[in-house]
Amino acid sequence: MEENIATDCIVIDDHEQGYDLDLFCIPKHYIEDLERVYIPHGLIMDRTERLARDIMKDMGGHHIVALCVLKGGYKFFADLLDYIKALNRNSDRSIPMTVDFIRLKSYYNDQSTGDIKVIGGDDLSSLAGKNVLIVEDIIDTGKTMRTLLAMLKNYNPQMVKVVSLLVKRTPRSVGYRPDYIGFEVPDKFVVGYALDYNEYFRDLNHICVINENGKLKYKA
Ligand code: 5GP
Ligand code: MG
């Protein structure tokens, strides 16, 4: 029997091989450190354009505060907001959007520690009564987002929605699923498009899988 599962994102399955590095432009300093190109930059952009439309459809009635989770979310945040701005300037219905930033840290090498710290950003008391859109790079176990959502509640926002570019399929998941998702990916450590490995690989356009050489070279 064919299963009829509604898809809310692009699902990249476990057998997906990605693309050979030689088929794309990769910075020379990373060529030895990556396995494959997993999600090409163009596909990220196309999916982001659609997420912008879905978000505006749901949240476009009131002032949105877009909250960027640094550092990994900054590329997705910038591109998503560009698409939302394009919708706003080409439509009869448009809303003001303001931006806030928060910096969290939870990872050591390629392991989620579950110990989440706010290490900088804006004063969150300005979120009271606002419609907040949290913009995150990737949900792995979901612990970071659960913690952030619990924290934000104390500031009494009117509404909180979460958009994450990536969600990992992992047995370590706490079961959290964001409101909007770009891609669901296998349980592998990915880098690029602002996602880092100990601060490296943010300067890479495509989302790629890092190899053992890369893990060793940039180990903390
Ligand atoms: P969680 O608390 O959901 O386990 O982890 C969330 C955070 O860990 C993400 O926001 C991201 O910063 C980092 N993270 C999780 N998986 C990956 C990954 O595959 N690659 C990179 N670069 N960061 C990840
Ligand atoms: Mg993050």
Side-chain angles (χ1 to χ4, degrees), residues 37-128:
V37 170
Y38 221 45
I39 311 176
H41 184 253
L43 183 56
I44 299 171
M45 296 302 281
D46 290 336
R47 178 70 188 127
T48 302
E49 182 176 20
R50 178 54 197 255
L51 287 173
R53 201 173 96 184
D54 293 347
I55 289 165
M56 282 306 283
K57 189 164 170 259
D58 297 347
M59 298 185 77
H62 303 275
H63 174 173
I64 298 175
V65 181
L67 180 64
C68 175
V69 184
L70 294 171
K71 294 180 185 175
Y74 95 88
K75 274 298 292 171
F76 178 48
F77 184 80
D79 289 331
L80 181 70
L81 263 61
D82 277 350
Y83 282 120
I84 292 178
K85 277 155 50 193
L87 289 172
N88 270 331
R89 66 177 177 263
N90 290 302
S91 146
D92 296 333
R93 200 175 73 141
S94 93
I95 46 138
M97 201 170 43
T98 55
V99 296
D100 269 316
F101 297 87
I102 188 167
R103 184 146 180 225
L104 305 174
K105 215 169 180 76
S106 73
Y107 252 63
Y108 185 74
N109 285 327
D110 59 353
Q111 297 302 310
S112 178
T113 62
D115 176 23
I116 291 109
K117 284 192 193 75
V118 178
I119 56 170
D122 288 308
D123 176 13
L124 299 176
S125 53
S126 62
L127 300 181

Side-chain angles (χ1 to χ4, degrees), residues 24-38:
F24 290 90
C25 297
I26 306 290
K28 211 169 177 178
H29 53 273
Y30 290 142
I31 207 90
E32 314 257 274
D33 312 322
L34 301 167
E35 198 88 55
R36 309 277 289 178
V37 170
Y38 221 45

Side-chain angles (χ1 to χ4, degrees), residues 69 136-138:
V69 184
E136 173 67 300
D137 52 358
I138 183 167

